Amino acid sequence: MKVRGLLRWRVAGLLLAMVAIVALPYLVTRVMADETQQANLWLNHASTVKALTYRIAYLVRDSEAASYRILAGDGDAPTEQRASGAKAQVPALLEQLRNLTRDNPDQQARIGALESVTSGRITLVDQALARLHAGDAAGARQSLRDTGDLFHMHVLIDGIADTEDRLLAERTRDVAQQVERSQFVLGLTALAQLLLLIVVVISSERQIGRRQLAETREGRAVLRSQMIVQAVREPIALFDEQLRSLLVNAAFSELYGLDPKHHRALPLPQIGDGAWSDGALLQRLNDVLLRNRELWDYELVQRTADGVERHVVINARRIQQQDSDAQALLLTVSDVTARALAEQKVNELNHQLEGKVAQVSDVNRELEAFSYSVSHDLRAPLRHIAGFARKLRQHLGERVDETGSHYLDVIGNSAQRMAQLIDDLLVFSRLGRGALRLQPVDMQSLAEEARALCESEAPGRRIVWSIAPLPIVVGDENMLRTVWQNLIGNAVKYTGRREVAHIAVDMQRGRNGDYEFIVSDDGAGFDMQYADKLFGVFQRLHRASDFPGNGIGLANVRRILARHGGRVWAEAEPDRGARFHFTLPARDLSGTSIERPS
């Protein structure tokens, strides 16, 4: 097939060369003939224009001469006809002249001027004849003198003729140059013909050598491809249209127990002691051969020559046999037994994991129920303690001394603090149970809202705020409001001892596109060696007498951000302020993360 293809290309090249040898001289000769014909046409055109121009001038002057003869008393019928000849013939000649020069605006302008001049002179001739017939010979003579004085025609006639001569000279020169170029091209064409013939001869000789070399390389490539197929560790086989083996590699022979030295064609169902006897698979393979369909990733369990059941993936496609129009089936086999066993193990582990998840969910629900029950059960004793402390204070009245009043204050404050701890514990528990209501959240508005709330709760404080522009994110608005109120509230609280506090809110983008928000202050700060306790439940790094609080706000912040897919951390130095960082992923309402373009 390859040799036939090369032969076809060679014949096509020879035909193309013959066409070029014949066609190029013809084209050049045709161009030269066209140029010569065009030159003749321009010559005829210029002659016609000049003839028409001179004819117009002759008719006008002849009309005026006839008028003078009539004025001299030598008029007869032919003379009268000559006097009116210009008026009858000149308009038609001017129209013909205008049509011949439509492609030349300058000539059109001159012809227009000529028309005005001739029209004026003809009009004066008519006026002279009319005066003569009226008996005014002096007036007739004056009108004839005015034709030459008022309307000068010879300049326009010469201008039109000179222009045509100049155009004819330019066009003749252009044609001559074109003819010279055509002759030069014709010479080059003749040289190219000679070179082309030489190239054709040399190419033919080289083509013969290349064909022989290609045949040799093709034989080597076939041998090399057979060696590669034999070396590949993936089983590969080639079958004819009756599913009889044409070629099998070593891996196929080893997997299905074939003798590598045995080259007799075997039907596919007889290979591998029935490993290929699956009816559905054989039907699919026949469809591949007959209908040119492709078989991709057909999974099958086969018992191979070593007696082991293997999970295999079979791929097949139809190809054309070399040097033949017959079709062949290319079959590849992939042993995926290890993968199948791994998938089976993964499925078992997934089932176990689902059981563990269910157990963890049950434990979480029990813990939440326990937390809720304990919180509610603790409220009744607290109400009793707080209520009876008030009743005892009312009962004793003025009889209570300073020590007793102090004890009653401690009891009441402790009960109130315990109630607040229970409320905070319930809030912390609910943050882990409630579903997220994702929606676009304006972080700028939440930060400004938290700032306004803190300023209203700390009247008289001098705080310098710096809040950078913040984006709109996707999250639960109420939960994110809690984050801002806790972080900005802490910044206000821990800068309480500053005469002028400075609190800043900034935002930046991480490498993966996440939003990173920073709340910084110049307040009390903390020692970084205790930072791991900062976000624990009821964990505090300062005494309650110094800064009030229950130690659960930052735990709520961490739980909220974890549920949003973010995180929180802090940096600080004692008495030099703190910086709280938290991140939120950039995502849409469906929860899909949006990667930041690099």
Side-chain angles (χ1 to χ4, degrees):
M1 287 182 63
K2 196 168 184 179
V3 174
R4 288 201 298 269
L6 293 175
L7 182 60
R8 285 197 296 268
W9 279 109
R10 182 184 178 188
V11 172
L14 290 174
L15 291 175
L16 182 62
M18 293 176 62
V19 170
I21 291 173
V22 174
L24 287 177
Y26 168 76
L27 291 176
V28 173
T29 305
R30 180 63 182 272
V31 170
M32 293 175 64
D34 291 343
E35 292 295 335
T36 303
Q37 183 180 4
Q38 186 64 38
N40 293 329
L41 291 176
W42 284 121
L43 178 61
N44 293 333
H45 176 272
S47 300
T48 303
V49 171
K50 291 171 64 177
L52 288 172
T53 304
Y54 292 142
R55 176 64 178 169
I56 291 171
Y58 168 77
L59 288 174
V60 172
R61 290 193 176 96
D62 186 61
S63 175
E64 295 171 359
S67 298
Y68 275 111
R69 289 189 62 181
I70 293 172
L71 182 62
D74 190 18
D76 54 10
T79 305
E80 291 283 347
Q81 187 175 2
R82 286 171 51 202
S84 60
K87 182 177 181 180
Q89 299 180 41
V90 167
L93 295 176
L94 285 171
E95 183 63 26
Q96 187 177 357
L97 189 62
R98 187 179 291 107
N99 291 332
L100 288 173
T101 59
R102 288 190 182 276
D103 59 339
N104 192 327
D106 294 336
Q107 288 289 67
Q108 289 280 300
R110 293 187 184 93
I111 292 171
L114 179 63
E115 182 178 12
S116 299
V117 170
T118 56
S119 177
R121 296 181 76 130
I122 290 172
T123 301
L124 289 175
V125 168
D126 290 343
Q127 183 180 7
L129 294 174
R131 288 180 175 180
L132 181 62
H133 290 153
D136 184 8
R141 189 174 291 104
Q142 182 61 41
S143 295
L144 290 175
R145 283 198 298 269
D146 289 342
T147 58
D149 295 338
L150 298 178
F151 299 101
H152 301 284
M153 185 173 61
H154 66 278
V155 176
L156 294 174
I157 296 296
D158 294 341
I160 294 174
D162 293 343
T163 299
E164 287 298 322
D165 291 337
R166 179 176 53 79
L167 290 175
L168 180 60
E170 292 177 356
R171 289 162 180 167
T172 303
R173 185 171 59 255
D174 292 340
V175 170
Q177 292 176 354
Q178 183 65 34
V179 170
E180 290 178 0
R181 287 195 294 268
S182 298
Q183 292 176 348
F184 178 73
V185 172
L186 188 60
L188 289 180
T189 304
L191 181 61
Q193 291 174 353
L194 180 61
L195 293 177
L196 187 59
L197 288 175
I198 296 174
V199 169
V200 168
V201 173
I202 296 175
S203 298
S204 299
E205 294 298 326
R206 289 185 176 180
Q207 194 67 34
I208 295 173
R210 288 176 181 174
R211 183 182 64 183
Q212 295 175 348
L213 181 61
E215 291 175 352
T216 303
R217 289 178 176 176
E218 182 179 4
R220 293 176 180 175
V222 170
L223 180 60
R224 184 164 55 249
S225 63
Q226 291 178 353
M227 294 175 59
I228 292 173
V229 169
Q230 293 296 331
V232 170
R233 293 307 303 162
E234 184 178 31
I236 301 175
L238 193 66
F239 296 88
D240 62 13
E241 294 175 337
Q242 285 75 40
L243 292 181
R244 292 176 301 186
S245 61
L246 297 174
L247 173 68
V248 295
N249 68 347
F252 193 93
S253 300
E254 180 182 351
L255 184 62
Y256 294 103
L258 298 178
D259 185 0
K261 299 179 180 180
H262 185 73
H263 300 291
R264 184 172 63 88
L266 293 175
L268 181 60
Q270 297 180 12
I271 296 176
D273 296 331
W276 296 94
S277 60
D278 184 79
L281 174 60
L282 293 175
Q283 181 62 43
R284 297 288 296 273
L285 295 178
N286 282 310
D287 287 343
V288 173
L289 278 169
L290 298 177
R291 303 180 183 180
N292 198 20
R293 295 180 177 177
E294 294 185 358
L295 183 65
W296 294 108
D297 297 336
Y298 186 89
E299 296 188 9
L300 185 68
V301 178
Q302 292 180 333
R303 182 177 292 275
T304 53
D306 53 5
V308 177
E309 286 192 350
R310 298 180 182 274
H311 295 262
V312 296
V313 172
I314 299 169
N315 294 284
R317 62 175 300 177
R318 190 177 76 180
I319 62 174
Q320 191 170 0
Q321 295 188 37
Q322 185 180 10
D323 298 330
S324 173
D325 293 333
Q327 304 297 327
L329 178 74
L330 178 63
L331 187 71
T332 62
V333 182
S334 300
D335 186 357
V336 295
T337 304
R339 189 188 71 185
L341 295 177
E343 290 178 352
Q344 182 179 357
K345 186 65 175 178
V346 168
N347 291 333
E348 294 176 356
L349 293 175
N350 284 337
H351 287 306
Q352 296 177 9
L353 181 60
E354 290 173 359
K356 297 294 184 182
V357 170
Q359 293 177 8
V360 171
S361 298
D362 292 339
V363 171
N364 285 337
R365 283 193 295 270
E366 292 175 359
L367 287 174
E368 291 174 0
F370 173 76
S371 174
Y372 188 79
S373 176
V374 168
S375 299
H376 279 71
D377 291 343
L378 289 176
R379 289 181 183 275
L382 281 177
R383 286 195 298 269
H384 293 161
I385 293 172
F388 279 102
R390 288 194 303 271
K391 288 182 178 293
L392 182 58
R393 182 183 293 277
Q394 294 172 1
H395 177 71
L396 293 176
E398 296 180 356
R399 290 177 293 169
V400 63
D401 58 7
E402 184 178 352
T403 301
S405 177
H406 173 68
Y407 292 161
L408 291 174
D409 289 340
V410 171
I411 294 172
N413 292 336
S414 298
Q416 184 178 1
R417 177 173 172 75
M418 186 64 181
Q420 184 63 46
L421 289 174
I422 293 173
D423 290 337
D424 291 343
L425 185 61
L426 286 175
V427 171
F428 183 77
S429 177
R430 283 196 297 270
L431 288 176
R433 295 196 310 269
L436 291 177
R437 292 176 294 181
L438 296 180
Q439 60 182 339
V441 179
D442 187 354
M443 300 295 272
Q444 188 81 36
S445 298
L446 294 186
E448 296 288 352
E449 180 183 332
R451 166 189 172 179
L453 179 63
C454 292
E455 286 181 339
S456 65
E457 294 177 351
R461 288 279 308 276
R462 295 180 60 191
I463 303 175
V464 177
W465 295 90
S466 175
I467 300 180
L470 302 179
I472 294 177
V473 302
V474 175
D476 188 301
E477 184 173 6
N478 290 330
M479 290 188 179
L480 294 179
R481 179 180 287 108
T482 301
V483 170
W484 283 110
Q485 289 178 355
N486 274 284
L487 294 180
I488 292 181
N490 280 351
V492 172
K493 178 170 63 176
Y494 288 103
T495 57
R497 296 182 179 179
R498 299 293 186 192
E499 182 178 351
V500 178
H502 294 80
I503 299 175
V505 178
D506 296 307
M507 190 281 296
Q508 61 188 18
R509 299 294 293 272
R511 292 184 178 178
N512 58 353
D514 289 353
Y515 297 108
E516 180 180 337
F517 301 91
I518 306 168
V519 179
S520 57
D521 62 71
D522 59 350
F526 57 86
D527 193 340
M528 286 296 292
Q529 65 177 328
Y530 304 113
D532 56 337
K533 299 181 179 180
L534 194 62
F535 298 97
V537 180
F538 303 133
Q539 296 289 332
R540 291 179 52 83
L541 302 184
H542 300 86
R543 292 181 299 178
S545 59
D546 295 335
F547 299 99
N550 297 326
I552 201 170
L554 292 180
N556 289 336
V557 169
R558 183 175 66 175
R559 173 166 284 196
I560 291 171
L561 294 174
R563 295 199 61 190
H564 281 77
R567 63 190 185 96
V568 61
W569 69 97
E571 304 167 349
E573 295 182 31
D575 201 37
R576 299 189 65 178
R579 294 172 300 281
F580 283 83
H581 304 252
F582 70 93
T583 63
L584 286 173
R587 57 188 176 185
D588 54 25
L589 287 176
S590 65
T592 304
S593 296
I594 302 174
E595 293 292 338
R596 184 183 184 186
S598 57

